[in-house]
Amino acid sequence: MNRATLNWTFTVGFVALTAGILLARANPATAYEASIYTGTPTATWVGFAIAMAIAVSAALTCHGRQQAIGLGLGAATVTSIVSLPAIRNYYFNGMGDALSHLGWTRDITSGQMNAHELFYPGLHSLGAAFHFLGGVPIERALLFGIVVLFVPFLVFVPLVVRDLSGNALAVGIAGVVSWMVLPINNIATHMGVHTNSNALFLVPVVLFALVAYLRRRATIERLPFGLSPFSVLLYTSAIALLLVHPQQMVNVVVLVAAVAGVQYFAHRRYDEHPMLEHPTMYTPTFVLGSIFGIWAVSNARFREAVEGFVTGIFSDDVGADAEIDQQGSSLTEIGGSLAELFVTMFLDAALIGLIVGFFVLLTWIGRTRLDGESRALVTYFGFALVPLGVMFALYFVGTMNMAFRQMGFIYVVLTILAGVAIAHAVGGLSGLISTPGANAVAAVVLGVCLVLGLMTVFASPVIYSPGQHVTEEKYNGYETGMEHGAGDTPYVGLGYDPFRFDHGINGLDGDDALTGGTAESGEVDGDEFNEGNYTGAYNDVDYYLMVSEFDETREFGVYQELRYSEAALSGVQYSPHADKVVSNDEFRMYAVSSDD
């Protein structure tokens, strides 16, 4: 394709992307959306699809400036998809940890606490900055914050691969794989205000600094205290990661320590090897470990998390087996299966993992075409996956949620290695058919994986998890109910504990910030509730039943009345023991009195 035709093709791609964004912006969400995919206009997805098709083709077939433009087009499109909650004017997005993070940000902006008092204040500080400098509501400021933290992932994955291999095809493939957003699994990592997940997107920045420190030679060889420009880059990027979430900093320390371990054995075994030319990672391992240790040991929240993890490992009722069995049984009851869910959520990740694993093994036995320098760097990352995998196994025994957070970090590393691995596979295939044919096969396979990855970036009913869109009406309903609740009467949800909304509305700075009813909040008992025993559905005490459109969509539309029946909820309004005290289009609150 000549340059003029290519330029016109890129123009079509950027125009399609711009049109998609404008159409999405012109069609804001007016009510709760269980799926942002179906809520967004079809024309927007057509525009995004055109842009992505051009971007994938350019990433795989172009070089130099044209490839960079293609990568930029693809990254801009994926960023637009991630930004849809902000583009389509969502009031807020996220109902679990996200609401607690909203509460902490509210505490910071109101002066109730200082940012440094938080264990990981990165996202909250960014949201506060948007709030004060841009004059936007805190809820919207945090939606902007997650986009800002996401962009480095798309930028630095190709940059790491460029330093790692120097192969243009590998750089392009790495860009495409990064667009799949494999670190997000919607089990323990989420695309939203979730600092553990948001931190994952900064990890490539640290890995870029690591590879630059190992491979590049600084013009200024030494700074004070034996530092170099690249070691300073490594430390500062790691500190930024620590401030967003310390768990990912732990993983970085483990990875750097694994590199140091490989170097130690290389120095003992070889007289000549590319690893011997690299600066040793002993000092960076010590410095990064010390930074994390000083930050973490003094924090009570960290100590409690460690205690919970250790307890989980030795507890009979905590672990993966029971949770998987329970989830599988529930899926079967509503017409789904774990196999179906695996294909939807993890087929692309599994395929990428298998390719990378096979490639790393071939690298270790010397059956790849990598030069010595690149082979050494791939070996570093490959061996780092061993302790990271052991940590995943320990988490899996202790608490499955933490295991899938660990998987998120592992897939950041796999995303980087995938660029090199798939490029070598395409190179081998081109020897069997032809280079255009091999590129076409790669484009089709990567395109299918890209669709699977992007269709599960956000939660939606397709993965049996309705979107956590928080509308203004819903937020105001909870706010009104909690503001005017009587004394310590508990707030009770339909399959959802309302205490998180207390965090988002009132903040978390001290126990006094929370309403009295939150201390005894919880979920109604499904068996009692379905039998119409509303007074006995929650410990035989007076309580407020809070029901939102999200609850009804999840329980009746997605879970198909697995836990609560629609008839039972409809019967609440006719019960002599229940009075509707707050109501709008998205939310209802009933005051339920006990028989006493």
Side-chain angles (χ1 to χ4, degrees):
M1 186 182 295
N2 61 50
R3 180 171 296 182
T5 303
L6 193 58
N7 288 339
W8 277 109
T9 303
F10 284 139
T11 300
V12 170
F14 280 105
V15 169
L17 171 60
T18 303
I21 294 172
L22 293 176
L23 284 168
R25 180 63 180 169
N27 291 272
T30 57
Y32 168 72
E33 293 182 347
S35 171
I36 197 169
Y37 299 103
T38 57
T40 301
T42 302
T44 291
W45 294 115
V46 172
F48 288 169
I50 293 172
M52 289 301 295
I54 294 172
V56 170
S57 299
L60 299 184
T61 60
C62 295
H63 303 277
R65 177 175 174 270
Q66 284 73 32
Q67 186 186 55
I69 294 173
L71 290 173
L73 175 60
T77 305
V78 175
T79 301
S80 299
I81 293 173
V82 169
S83 305
L84 279 175
I87 292 173
R88 298 195 55 244
N89 204 33
Y90 274 28
Y91 185 76
F92 192 63
N93 194 40
M95 290 180 52
D97 289 352
L99 288 168
S100 295
H101 294 307
L102 173 61
W104 275 315
T105 308
R106 195 176 303 283
D107 287 335
I108 292 172
T109 57
S110 65
Q112 296 298 311
M113 68 181 301
N114 297 313
H116 69 268
E117 295 179 88
L118 271 177
F119 189 30
Y120 38 89
L123 176 61
H124 315 86
S125 300
L126 188 60
F130 276 120
H131 172 67
F132 286 123
L133 298 178
V136 297
I138 298 172
E139 296 81 6
R140 191 164 183 79
L142 287 174
L143 297 183
F144 292 154
I146 64 174
V147 176
V148 170
L149 293 178
F150 174 73
V151 171
F153 180 76
L154 304 179
V155 173
F156 280 89
V157 165
L159 289 178
V160 174
V161 173
R162 187 188 66 176
D163 259 14
L164 197 152
S165 74
N167 183 292
L169 179 60
V171 173
I173 292 174
V176 175
V177 177
S178 73
W179 303 339
M180 300 176 193
V181 202
L182 296 178
I184 296 299
N185 54 52
N186 277 303
I187 295 177
T189 57
H190 309 276
M191 185 55 71
V193 184
H194 188 250
T195 53
N196 192 292
S197 305
N198 305 136
L200 290 170
F201 302 126
L202 291 182
V203 172
V205 182
V206 184
L207 299 185
F208 173 79
L210 171 63
V211 174
Y213 177 75
L214 289 168
R215 188 160 191 172
R216 300 184 183 185
R217 300 297 176 262
T219 303
I220 304 174
E221 289 297 332
R222 285 285 174 253
L223 296 173
F225 307 106
L227 297 171
S228 73
F230 296 125
S231 64
V232 171
L233 178 63
L234 176 61
Y235 299 146
T236 53
S237 60
I239 291 172
L241 177 65
L242 172 65
L243 293 177
V244 178
H245 202 284
Q247 182 180 351
Q248 307 310 338
M249 175 64 167
V250 172
N251 287 323
V252 164
V253 173
V254 170
L255 187 149
V256 174
V259 173
V262 173
Q263 289 179 327
Y264 173 79
F265 287 109
H267 279 82
R268 294 197 53 160
R269 180 172 180 179
Y270 301 108
D271 294 325
E272 291 186 10
H273 194 280
M275 290 182 185
L276 305 185
E277 302 298 321
H278 294 157
T280 59
M281 298 303 298
Y282 310 141
T283 298
T285 300
F286 174 77
V287 172
L288 293 175
S290 298
I291 291 172
F292 172 78
I294 293 171
W295 183 265
V297 171
S298 61
N299 188 276
R301 185 180 177 88
F302 171 77
R303 294 194 299 270
E304 292 171 0
V306 172
E307 291 172 4
F309 165 64
V310 174
T311 302
I313 291 179
F314 297 102
S315 174
D316 292 333
D317 59 349
V318 178
D321 290 341
E323 293 184 51
I324 292 175
D325 290 342
Q326 181 181 2
Q327 295 296 330
S329 175
S330 298
L331 279 171
T332 301
E333 291 186 50
I334 60 176
S337 69
L338 283 176
E340 170 200 344
L341 198 59
F342 174 84
V343 169
T344 305
M345 297 178 66
F346 296 114
L347 180 61
D348 53 345
L351 181 61
I352 296 298
L354 287 173
I355 293 173
V356 170
F358 186 63
F359 171 75
V360 169
L361 288 176
L362 290 178
T363 301
W364 289 349
I365 63 177
R367 300 296 299 273
T368 62
R369 300 182 305 278
L370 292 174
D371 59 37
E373 181 87 6
S374 297
R375 190 181 302 117
L377 294 170
V378 169
T379 299
Y380 288 148
F381 284 113
F383 270 104
L385 290 172
V386 175
L388 292 171
V390 170
M391 293 172 65
F392 169 80
L394 290 175
Y395 286 138
F396 201 75
V397 173
T399 167
M400 191 167 65
N401 185 64
M402 292 292 286
F404 279 94
R405 288 186 177 188
Q406 183 71 9
M407 180 186 287
F409 184 91
I410 290 173
Y411 265 94
V412 173
V413 179
L414 292 179
T415 296
I416 291 169
L417 291 176
V420 186
I422 299 175
H424 272 66
V426 173
L429 184 61
S430 64
L432 298 176
I433 46 177
S434 65
T435 298
N439 286 340
V441 171
V444 171
V445 174
L446 289 174
V448 172
C449 291
L450 184 57
V451 171
L452 284 173
L454 290 177
M455 70 183 284
T456 55
V457 165
F458 292 105
S460 71
V462 75
I463 57 173
Y464 301 97
S465 178
Q468 296 187 353
H469 173 202
V470 178
T471 63
E472 187 171 8
E473 290 85 354
K474 175 179 178 178
Y475 186 89
N476 289 340
Y478 275 100
E479 185 176 32
T480 301
M482 291 181 172
E483 180 181 353
H484 298 288
D488 295 334
T489 302
Y491 297 105
V492 182
L494 194 72
Y496 178 80
D497 191 331
F499 82 95
R500 293 285 195 175
F501 273 94
D502 202 342
H503 290 178
I505 293 166
N506 298 304
L508 293 91
D509 187 35
D511 295 336
D512 292 340
L514 303 180
T515 58
T518 299
E520 302 296 332
S521 67
E523 304 172 14
V524 292
D525 180 84
D527 293 334
E528 296 292 340
F529 188 81
N530 290 338
E531 291 177 2
N533 183 14
Y534 306 117
T535 59
Y538 196 73
N539 302 328
D540 292 313
V541 299
D542 295 350
Y543 65 92
Y544 292 114
L545 175 63
M546 313 181 94
V547 182
S548 69
E549 188 69 21
F550 166 82
D551 300 323
E552 295 186 71
T553 300
R554 182 193 60 234
E555 297 301 332
F556 309 142
V558 177
Y559 294 168
Q560 300 177 27
E561 302 184 84
L562 179 65
R563 300 187 297 182
Y564 305 99
S565 74
E566 191 169 6
L569 179 60
S570 298
V572 173
Q573 59 185 320
Y574 303 111
S575 171
H577 300 282
D579 294 309
K580 185 187 295 183
V581 292
V582 178
S583 179
N584 61 39
D585 291 339
E586 299 281 339
F587 176 87
R588 303 188 305 280
M589 186 173 88
Y590 299 91
V592 182
S593 60
S594 65
D595 290 328
D596 298 334

